Amino acid sequence: MKISYCPYTLNPRRPLNSVSAKKERSGVLLKVEWSGRGIVGYSDLHPWVELGDQDLTQQLEGLKSGTLSELSRQSLKLAWRDAELRQSRRNIFANGSAIKNNYILPDGSFDDQALLKSLRQDGFDTVKLKMGRDLPSELASLASVVAAGFRVRLDFNASIDFKTYLGFIKNLSSSVRDAIEYVEDPFPFDFQLWNEARQYAPLALDNFGTQVPWAAWNQFSSLPFDVLILKPAKTDFETVVHLAYKHNLKLTVTNYMDHPVGSMHALGIAMKLKQEHGDKVLQAGCFTHHLYEQNLFSQHLTTSGAFIQPVAGMGVGFDSLLETLPWQILNTDFN
Ligand code: MG
């Protein structure tokens, strides 16, 4: 296996969540060649150090020496998926069902009535709000988003504590509370406290392999949440699907707020799981390119309302762009 990489940066239009400032984000695209098979696949590697990932230098060193992180392991798996699709001359859209996406409302736009109206007209019915930076003002804005007719997904990134969360959720009007599809990571995972918090609104767990080790999940007979957030960039989907069936949980597939190559990989997995598991798979969260300034890749992303359209080419698409990047060889030959 020969791995090459190409660094990139993404420029957020505004701060992306409660744990990141508005600063340039770095990652690498990977080109993986399985010379024995004569096939090539592409993927993304976009660490979030703020969320516990190794930084890019460590990730690349690990890849070079064959000591994989959760993230680089998934990057190789997704590159393999891409390579197989390319070999059989299929796009990810040939391998799944169409899936709607939620819309992430950037900070400061919760009250933007013109935006909310145009999103409704475009067919979005679910928005995701990153919460926890300024709770009193978010509370007021949440009401206007709900009044505009949206179902909402709230994501705190575990940035507040249990007491603050209860103060928040108990104060919501019933119309706002009814509009909450789920609350993602309200505060750091704790079995008892999540069980209590779950009485007020359904809960979703993100970053679960990090918060509680994988092996530990199997010890529980029931889990104190309703939805698992699956990020193919970081977690093997088969393990997550298994857990979702075992504990009767729904799944939301999201990207890693990463490069369009990573986003299309996440969408590909979302569509595949939608086709195989139907209603168990909720609306996806792969529509995030609007959070960044446009680049050579995102300008090829087209959408139809809440649906992302195929990108021309095989696998995740972008064929000619990917072929002409200035790839640097990582020089690895592990199997
Ligand atoms: Mg999250």
Side-chain angles (χ1 to χ4, degrees):
M1 189 194 317
K2 178 177 154 197
I3 303 175
S4 309
Y5 67 99
C6 181
Y8 66 79
T9 53
L10 302 172
N11 295 303
R13 295 178 196 265
R14 309 178 198 222
L16 294 172
N17 55 39
S18 57
V19 296
S20 83
K22 180 187 180 299
K23 57 178 187 207
E24 200 176 74
R25 297 202 42 79
S26 300
V28 293
L29 293 178
L30 296 179
K31 175 183 181 182
V32 188
E33 297 165 78
W34 285 270
S35 46
R37 299 276 304 269
I39 60 175
V40 180
Y42 299 92
S43 63
D44 185 16
L45 177 56
H46 187 83
W48 276 86
V49 177
E50 300 88 333
L51 299 176
D53 296 333
Q54 290 176 352
D55 67 25
L56 204 47
T57 310
Q58 292 169 311
Q59 300 278 359
L60 287 175
E61 276 168 9
L63 257 180
K64 195 170 177 174
S65 64
T67 315
L68 300 180
S69 67
E70 283 179 292
L71 220 53
S72 58
R73 184 180 306 278
Q74 286 307 111
S75 296
L76 292 184
K77 279 191 183 171
L78 292 172
W80 174 253
R81 178 167 204 256
D82 187 57
E84 285 195 311
L85 288 167
R86 286 177 191 277
Q87 188 188 33
S88 57
R89 311 220 34 89
R90 281 175 302 153
N91 185 279
I92 50 169
F93 277 73
N95 211 2
S97 300
I99 188 165
K100 245 182 169 180
N101 288 277
N102 64 219
Y103 188 89
I104 298 187
L105 273 182
D107 272 13
S109 64
F110 296 6
D111 287 323
D112 185 339
Q113 291 302 326
L115 172 65
L116 294 175
K117 195 174 165 199
S118 77
L119 290 174
R120 285 297 287 161
Q121 282 169 351
D122 277 354
F124 284 97
D125 53 37
T126 305
V127 295
K128 176 169 173 172
L129 310 177
K130 296 278 183 177
M131 307 284 287
R133 223 187 293 265
D134 176 7
L135 220 42
S137 83
E138 288 160 2
L139 198 60
S141 306
L142 178 56
S144 77
V145 173
V146 171
F150 290 99
R151 183 167 51 177
V152 292
R153 297 171 167 181
L154 308 181
D155 187 1
F156 285 90
N157 276 114
S159 61
I160 57 172
D161 60 22
F162 174 60
K163 227 176 126 191
T164 312
Y165 179 69
L166 279 199
F168 164 79
I169 198 86
K170 283 181 170 177
N171 272 324
L172 297 178
S173 68
S174 60
S175 63
V176 170
R177 212 187 292 171
D178 289 350
I180 296 177
E181 184 183 13
Y182 55 74
V183 179
E184 188 176 323
D185 292 343
F187 49 89
F189 183 77
D190 175 283
F191 201 97
Q192 281 313 112
L193 297 182
W194 274 51
N195 235 345
E196 259 182 74
R198 190 190 188 186
Q199 302 169 44
Y200 302 98
L203 297 182
L205 184 75
D206 187 9
N207 295 314
F208 39 102
T210 314
Q211 302 201 57
V212 175
W214 271 112
W217 290 115
N218 282 320
Q219 299 165 11
F220 299 116
S221 56
S222 72
L223 293 174
F225 48 86
D226 312 90
V227 178
L228 280 171
I229 309 297
L230 164 59
K231 291 175 168 146
K234 191 156 180 172
T235 313
D236 178 48
F237 68 85
E238 280 162 349
T239 317
V240 177
V241 168
H242 174 78
L243 202 61
Y245 274 97
K246 183 175 174 195
H247 293 289
N248 198 23
L249 307 168
K250 301 270 190 187
L251 288 172
T252 297
V253 182
T254 81
N255 66 21
Y256 209 40
M257 290 203 288
D258 43 12
H259 188 278
V261 165
S263 295
M264 291 308 282
H265 264 302
L267 182 69
I269 300 295
M271 292 192 308
K272 169 188 161 65
L273 295 183
K274 186 75 191 166
Q275 184 175 59
E276 291 170 3
H277 305 286
D279 290 345
K280 195 153 195 71
V281 180
L282 304 174
Q283 276 189 27
C286 297
F287 196 107
T288 57
H289 52 282
H290 62 293
L291 299 174
Y292 295 110
E293 285 168 16
Q294 197 175 62
N295 63 26
L296 277 176
F297 283 80
S298 59
Q299 72 187 15
H300 289 276
L301 280 182
T302 53
T303 55
S304 168
F307 295 92
I308 296 171
Q309 303 289 85
V311 176
M314 303 302 138
V316 293
F318 307 107
D319 297 11
S320 50
L321 268 178
L322 287 166
E323 279 160 22
T324 54
L325 286 179
W327 294 104
Q328 302 174 43
I329 294 171
L330 194 64
N331 264 344
T332 175
D333 57 357
F334 65 90
N335 290 302

